[in-house]
Amino acid sequence: MEQTHLKYEQLKAILREMGSVLVAFSGGVDSTFLLRVAHDLLGDKAVAFTATSPTYPESEFREAVGLARSMGARQVVVESNELEIPGFAFNPRNRCYHCKKELFGLCGRTAAELGLAWVADGSNCDDLDDYRPGRAAAGELGVRSPLVEAGLTKADIRELSRELGLPTWDKQAFACLSSRFPYGTEITPERLRMVGACEEFLRENGFRVYRVRFHGDTARIETAPEEIPRLFDPSLRLRIAAFFREAGFAHVAVDLEGYRTGSMNTDAG
C-alpha cells in the first residue's frame, strides 16, 4: 500500500510538471482516475477529450459525460468514425494503430487550439504486457502516459480510485467494439450493431463482465467464470438465444474458459 501511495505522489509530480493537459477520456477506470487527479491539480488546465464513434457504445458515452460533469471538468466531444480510416474496416492486426493515430491526431489539434501543453492517455503498466499497437501511435505523436511514467498498475489505480470515491474503482475493463472481431474479419456498421445490442442485453440482465465475440453467424459469449452458470438458467438461456437471433446471429456459444482480456490477441504475433 505504501508503494501505491508513493506512485500516486509521483503521478502528481508528473502532472504538475506537465502544467496543462488534454486527457483522452473514455470513462474507463484509468482515464477517469487520470482526469480526476489532473483536474484536482490543474483545474481548468486539465480538459477531457472524448470521441464518439460506431465502436463506442452509447451507454459508455453517457457514462463518460456524467463522470466529467461530476468532477466539474471541461469536456470536448467530437464525432469520429474509425470505419472511414483506410484499411481499418478490414481489421488488420495493427487496427488499433490506425484508430489511435486518428484519435491522438484529433487530440493534438484540439490541445493546440486550447493552448494545452500535452496530450495524455490512460495507459497503465499492465498494458505493456499485452499486444497494444496503439501505443506506437501514441509514441509517434508525442502522447504521454503519466500512469505508466509513475509506475501505476491497474490494481494501484483501482485502490486509489476507491480512496478518492470514484464510482469507476470497480468498473470492469472495456475495449472498443472492434476488439470483438478476429483479425481479418471485416468490421461493418451492421456487425457492430449486432455485437453492441447483444452486449447491452447482457448488461441489462445483470452481467458485470461480458464480451460478445463475432464469428460469422455465431456469437461467442465470454463472461466472468463465476457468472457462467447464469447463462444456463433455463429462462435466461432461452431469452438470450431469442434476443441474439433477433439481433442477427444464427448460433450462440458460451466460452467455458470465461472472459480474459486480449483473447483475440493470442495469435497477434
Side-chain angles (χ1 to χ4, degrees):
M1 198 60 214
E2 181 181 354
Q3 283 298 314
T4 296
H5 285 109
L6 288 174
K7 296 175 189 178
Y8 183 37
E9 293 304 315
Q10 178 64 18
L11 173 65
K12 290 192 283 188
I14 290 167
L15 290 168
R16 290 190 188 99
E17 173 268 323
M18 293 171 74
S20 61
V21 62
L22 185 79
V23 176
F25 179 64
S26 66
V29 178
D30 303 322
S31 63
T32 298
F33 172 70
L34 178 59
L35 179 63
R36 167 64 185 274
V37 179
H39 183 260
D40 284 351
L41 290 171
L42 304 176
D44 292 341
K45 292 183 179 180
V47 178
F49 180 94
T50 304
T52 65
S53 79
T55 68
Y56 186 43
E58 179 66 24
S59 59
E60 290 289 321
F61 172 66
R62 290 196 302 269
E63 186 171 342
V65 170
L67 285 165
R69 183 182 299 121
S70 71
M71 295 180 214
R74 180 180 176 184
Q75 183 178 32
V76 175
V77 177
V78 301
E79 290 186 12
S80 179
N81 188 345
E82 297 95 329
L83 299 183
E84 295 177 355
I85 300 172
F88 178 92
F90 295 104
N91 202 13
R93 292 178 185 273
N94 64 344
R95 174 197 68 227
C96 289
Y97 169 82
H98 298 290
C99 175
K100 293 298 187 183
K101 191 167 186 178
E102 168 81 4
L103 172 64
F104 293 142
L106 291 170
C107 286
R109 291 191 288 274
T110 302
E113 292 169 2
L114 297 177
L116 302 173
W118 296 97
V119 173
D121 74 352
S123 296
N124 67 69
C125 287
D126 292 342
D127 295 326
L128 305 180
D129 296 329
D130 195 12
Y131 178 65
R132 303 271 178 168
R135 286 197 56 77
E140 289 175 11
L141 295 175
V143 174
R144 291 180 66 172
S145 300
L147 304 180
V148 172
E149 294 179 34
L152 287 157
T153 65
K154 177 70 83 173
D156 293 328
I157 294 161
R158 288 191 184 280
E159 176 57 30
L160 292 167
S161 295
R162 185 186 65 78
E163 292 181 10
L164 290 171
L166 291 171
T168 50
W169 76 270
D170 65 344
K171 182 177 179 177
Q172 297 306 311
F174 175 79
C176 82
L177 294 178
S178 298
S179 67
R180 313 307 193 258
F181 298 82
Y183 293 118
T185 297
E186 185 178 3
I187 302 171
T188 68
E190 175 60 17
R191 289 173 173 181
L192 288 169
R193 183 203 62 76
M194 291 166 62
V195 168
C198 291
E199 289 198 352
E200 185 68 12
F201 180 85
L202 295 176
R203 187 187 70 82
E204 290 175 351
N205 279 274
F207 288 90
R208 295 194 69 245
V209 181
Y210 50 83
R211 294 288 189 270
V212 175
R213 309 294 191 185
F214 182 95
H215 298 280
D217 62 359
T218 298
R220 174 169 60 92
I221 300 175
E222 293 180 11
T223 66
E226 63 271 18
E227 293 186 293
I228 289 176
R230 286 198 61 218
L231 295 168
F232 296 98
D233 174 84
S235 174
L236 182 56
R237 175 174 59 83
L238 292 175
R239 288 197 293 115
I240 290 173
F243 186 91
F244 278 46
R245 280 197 302 271
E246 185 177 344
F249 289 107
H251 309 287
V252 184
V254 175
D255 192 320
L256 297 180
E257 288 189 70
Y259 168 72
R260 60 268 185 210
T261 184
S263 71
M264 292 298 207
N265 294 340
T266 53
D267 64 346

